[in-house]
Amino acid sequence: MQATVTAQGGDWRFAGSGVVSEAQLGGYGLARVSGPLELSRDKTGYELEARLTGAGGRGSGVIAALLGGAPSAVVEGQRLSNGQMLLKRLDVSGRGLKVEATGGRGLLGGLNFKGKAQVSNLAEARLGASGRADLDWSAAQSGAGAPWTITLDARGDRFAVGMAELDRLLGGKPRLEAQANWQAGRLAVAKASLDGAALDASLAGVMEREGRLAFKADWTASGPFRAGPVEITGRAKGTGGVTGQLSAPRLDLTAELEQIDVPRLPLRDGRLTLTFQRQADGSSGQVALTADSQYGPARARSDFRFPRGGVDLTDLSVDAGGLK
């Protein structure tokens, strides 16, 4: 690194350029990151300006597909004397990612930050993925110590994630809108809504600072849904909840199903309950189904676990169509 330092009284300025070799991020690596860097302090606080360029990008997965071989970033930010963090500018350019955002300070001390992003090159991230997504967001803080109010609007264009059933539900132009508050590590989602071709869902809740989760969701979807020889036709609706810790979340799902086509045993008016709990030795949970059939009530339940490379079923019980 080469740099110059100047100082006058309590104010100082550090300006230089540097190089970092072999940077790593989530399975993605850069052989080199370089660029000019300036850090200064005066009576208003600390200020940072950086213009960074990467080279020799390598890896696989989403991050590698978005950043590519030679990403670049421009960052301008300030830590004000009252402790507020002001991000003045953020520009990121990669093979499948483009971000442009700006921020400022109001006359009464409030901060704001808004921008847009475009995500593409999804086909390189996952087999079967395609299209792009456009995101617009804004964030505002009325004063020091106040929560950040955040809004997000994301839209897909010929969008696909490479999972056939999920892509059918979302369609090529899904839309996600969200409103939330962030303060001292606590995220409160007032509402997040997803509008897809065959799926509508909404979610609200809180993630506490220590990682405790408390979210509730409602959803409706249109069939058919297929799982091996089983097909769920008509419409389905339900509720759900996400609780537990961020490191070990628990999902509870209840679904009402109009019709379930099981070979030689069609079912109707089904009710499905699912509990999914992430464990250290493999995610596990319980699933149960009750429904009506031409032979009377049908019931089935099982505990399950996902060890490496498979699925384990235990305490399986079925009572349907004369089979027990």
Side-chain angles (χ1 to χ4, degrees):
M1 174 176 284
Q2 296 179 341
T4 59
V5 179
T6 58
Q8 183 176 359
D11 300 345
W12 52 264
R13 177 175 175 269
F14 171 96
S17 61
V19 178
V20 176
S21 299
E22 299 301 330
Q24 299 289 328
L25 175 64
Y28 170 74
L30 284 167
R32 174 188 172 97
V33 179
S34 61
L37 174 69
E38 183 175 317
L39 181 63
S40 61
R41 180 189 181 278
D42 58 23
K43 62 182 180 180
T44 63
Y46 294 88
E47 188 161 355
L48 170 70
E49 295 184 16
R51 298 175 179 270
L52 305 176
T53 301
R58 60 192 182 277
S60 60
V62 175
I63 296 178
L66 295 182
L67 295 183
S72 63
V74 177
V75 182
E76 297 180 11
Q78 188 175 8
R79 185 183 187 277
L80 304 177
S81 57
N82 63 3
Q84 286 181 283
M85 302 297 295
L86 170 60
L87 189 56
K88 295 181 177 180
R89 179 183 177 188
L90 175 64
D91 292 348
V92 179
S93 180
R95 184 171 182 180
L97 176 66
K98 187 175 181 61
V99 177
E100 296 179 349
T102 58
R105 187 181 187 187
L107 293 176
L108 300 179
L111 304 183
N112 62 80
F113 183 66
K114 60 182 179 180
K116 57 185 179 180
Q118 184 181 101
V119 176
S120 59
N121 197 36
L122 298 177
E124 192 170 308
R126 179 184 173 88
L127 182 65
S130 62
R132 76 179 201 188
D134 295 295
L135 296 83
D136 292 275
W137 72 85
S138 66
Q141 185 184 37
S142 60
W148 281 92
T149 301
I150 303 166
T151 63
L152 171 70
D153 188 357
R155 300 169 181 260
D157 182 13
R158 294 172 292 175
F159 183 79
V161 297
M163 302 173 64
E165 188 59 39
L166 182 57
D167 288 336
R168 183 191 71 81
L169 292 171
L170 294 179
K173 294 183 177 294
R175 182 178 185 182
L176 173 65
E177 297 178 279
Q179 299 175 353
N181 287 339
W182 172 270
Q183 184 178 29
R186 182 180 187 267
L187 176 67
V189 180
K191 183 178 181 181
S193 59
L194 175 64
D195 182 9
L199 172 68
D200 293 317
S202 63
L203 177 142
V206 175
M207 182 185 72
E208 300 292 352
R209 183 176 182 178
E210 66 275 16
R212 189 172 72 253
L213 306 173
F215 289 93
K216 293 185 177 180
D218 297 282
W219 59 274
T220 61
S222 301
F225 313 92
R226 296 180 177 85
V230 178
E231 181 176 287
I232 300 172
T233 56
R235 291 189 62 82
K237 64 179 181 179
T239 60
V242 180
T243 56
Q245 293 292 130
L246 183 62
S247 58
R250 171 188 171 115
L251 170 66
D252 292 287
L253 177 69
T254 300
E256 298 177 11
L257 312 173
E258 287 185 356
Q259 186 171 331
I260 308 171
D261 292 336
V262 181
R264 301 181 183 178
L265 185 64
L267 304 174
R268 63 184 184 277
D269 298 329
R271 181 178 176 83
L272 175 73
T273 60
L274 172 69
T275 298
F276 190 87
Q277 178 77 57
R278 180 178 178 182
Q279 305 286 357
D281 60 347
S283 300
S284 64
Q286 302 84 38
V287 60
L289 174 67
T290 60
D292 295 329
S293 75
Q294 59 183 328
Y295 303 105
R299 296 182 293 274
R301 74 161 307 280
S302 180
D303 296 338
F304 62 84
R305 188 173 68 89
F306 294 113
R308 182 181 296 272
V311 57
D312 287 344
L313 300 178
T314 57
D315 293 330
L316 173 66
S317 64
V318 177
D319 184 354
L323 171 67
K324 292 187 178 183

